[in-house]
Amino acid sequence: MTQPEYDPGPQIAHAASIDLGTPDLERSIRFFRDLLGMEVVDQVGGVAYLRAYQEFAHHSLVLTQQDEARVNSYGFRVKRKQDVELFHKRFQEQGVQAVELPAGHELGRGEAVRFLVPGSDHPFEFFHDIDKPLAEESIRSKVLSNSSRRRGLGVRRLDHINLQTSAGTVNEAEAWLQDSLGFKRREFARLPDAPDIILASWLSVTPQVHDVAIGVAAEEKTGQFHHVAFNVENFHDILTAADEIRDLDIAYGAGPGKHGIGQAMYLYVHDPGSGHRIELYSGGYLIFDPTWEALEWKLPELAYGQTWYGDVLDVGPGGSFLPTSPSAGLLP
């Protein structure tokens, strides 16, 4: 008897890109290109497209010249071309407003669908097709798995994004990311004084502990951006970055240190052109267990989850919430 072909439905492949609005485009380009070592693949007017040295896709970072330092979009690549339309159909059935974006809306990228995450109002864009241009010959690597030579501090790829929303909406948003988009909860914590509310949740569609994290904002605001993380090869690279950045006019956020949650080493710095928080991130563990049960961090161990060693990241009620940036709305 012939079995019908199994179709898992639309799926996300990975967190793929972010569009950061910056009031000082040239200063932001110098930060990401000259210090972090990213390649400027193209620049059209006030928009620059960059990628890290182990990324083959056209870009993972868009820098857009604009008056307000906000995040214009969070891009996710889906596994199949038809998944863009299938996700769009799902959103329509759920009553989630979405807009179609034509190919080339972002240079080098195919058609996409844009929507706001219910409960958090973060502007996500789903796409599949993207160009894979060769780097200029002067920076090409002999290592076939590198799109270009390692330069600067050597960020390898976009690792994850960290979002925040209001305490009144975080549960809705976190549940929707799981139920409608297929993210799996890996580690999480609840507000100690309000245990029915998620303090933060680390979710992924890959073996990483998180491709996306979402948590409670300091104020009752939706659509808040905490940071985007770029992966570097090892712990020593984090310490080298801390040493070099201390000599420059670049603001530290926190670190270097190590998270208990995810078990990666971190250093938070700020893009001097925009003020957006950037995490340099290395290490961590991978999850291959298909029956993984989410790990809940409770007091008093929660402090170790945030910071195993290094600067204390007290994000509980009354704690030192780190400043966030706003996100754009539905219309790009």
Side-chain angles (χ1 to χ4, degrees):
M1 181 175 178
T2 303
Q3 295 293 325
E5 184 177 350
Y6 171 68
D7 186 345
Q11 294 180 302
I12 301 170
H14 63 100
S17 64
I18 191 167
D19 183 334
L20 299 178
T22 173
D24 192 336
L25 178 61
E26 290 307 314
R27 198 174 184 193
S28 291
I29 289 175
R30 289 195 299 270
F31 172 75
F32 286 101
R33 179 193 61 201
D34 302 339
L35 182 62
L36 300 192
M38 298 186 76
E39 172 194 358
V40 178
V41 177
D42 215 326
Q43 183 172 353
V44 180
V47 183
Y49 299 85
L50 298 89
R51 65 182 176 185
Y53 80 89
Q54 286 186 348
E55 294 177 319
F56 288 92
H58 185 274
H59 62 271
S60 62
L61 173 65
V62 182
L63 296 174
T64 301
Q65 175 76 53
Q66 59 192 46
D67 294 338
E68 182 185 18
R70 72 178 185 206
V71 180
N72 296 311
S73 66
Y74 306 89
F76 294 83
R77 195 173 185 197
V78 296
K79 289 189 175 181
R80 307 171 302 182
K81 184 180 180 67
Q82 64 264 36
D83 287 350
V84 176
E85 181 57 35
L86 290 173
F87 268 120
H88 191 187
K89 182 179 179 181
R90 177 179 295 178
F91 302 152
Q92 290 175 321
E93 292 171 349
Q94 294 177 337
V96 175
Q97 188 177 2
V99 295
E100 294 179 296
L101 302 177
H105 172 78
E106 280 190 8
L107 195 66
R109 195 184 73 176
E111 62 183 11
V113 59
R114 178 185 176 96
F115 62 96
L116 299 182
V117 174
S120 75
D121 295 331
H122 290 95
F124 280 18
E125 293 183 359
F126 284 3
F127 68 95
H128 178 265
D129 293 342
I130 190 164
D131 294 345
K132 296 182 178 180
L134 289 174
E136 292 184 4
E137 189 171 356
S138 61
I139 60 170
R140 286 182 201 164
S141 174
K142 295 183 177 67
V143 178
L144 298 183
S145 54
N146 291 346
S147 54
S148 62
R149 295 199 317 272
R150 175 172 172 164
R151 304 172 309 284
L153 295 175
V155 296
R156 301 195 294 178
R157 58 179 171 82
L158 189 152
D159 193 280
H160 65 266
I161 58 175
N162 189 301
L163 311 173
Q164 291 188 341
T165 190
S166 68
T169 61
V170 66
N171 282 12
E172 177 190 357
E174 195 256 0
W176 193 84
L177 290 172
Q178 295 181 72
D179 298 340
S180 293
L181 301 188
F183 284 97
K184 297 178 181 179
R185 181 194 282 179
R186 304 303 197 177
E187 303 194 36
F188 72 105
R190 305 177 192 270
L191 282 172
D193 294 336
D196 291 337
I197 299 175
I198 293 292
L199 168 64
S201 177
W202 289 260
L203 308 114
S204 69
V205 292
T206 69
Q208 296 193 132
V209 173
H210 62 316
D211 303 302
V212 170
I214 189 164
V216 176
E219 301 176 20
E220 194 68 8
K221 292 181 179 180
T222 60
Q224 298 301 293
F225 167 69
H226 192 272
H227 68 263
V228 59
F230 288 92
N231 187 280
V232 295
E233 187 170 2
N234 55 54
F235 283 11
H236 182 268
D237 290 330
I238 298 287
L239 297 175
T240 297
D243 193 41
E244 292 191 16
I245 288 172
R246 181 59 79 184
D247 231 359
L248 304 173
D249 186 22
I250 294 175
Y252 271 85
K258 182 180 177 181
H259 297 301
I261 296 168
Q263 298 193 45
M265 196 169 185
Y266 65 87
L267 175 66
Y268 294 109
V269 297
H270 293 268
D271 164 26
S274 66
H276 293 304
R277 184 180 297 104
I278 309 300
E279 182 181 23
L280 301 181
Y281 187 88
S282 182
Y285 68 92
L286 300 175
I287 298 172
F288 299 104
D289 181 356
T291 60
W292 179 268
E293 296 185 10
L295 306 175
E296 181 176 3
W297 288 81
K298 300 179 181 180
L299 294 176
E301 289 82 8
L302 179 55
Y304 296 131
Q306 294 292 343
T307 308
W308 183 238
Y309 59 76
D311 292 336
V312 174
L313 301 176
D314 178 12
V315 297
S320 56
F321 283 93
L322 299 175
T324 56
S325 304
S327 299
L330 178 63
L331 297 180

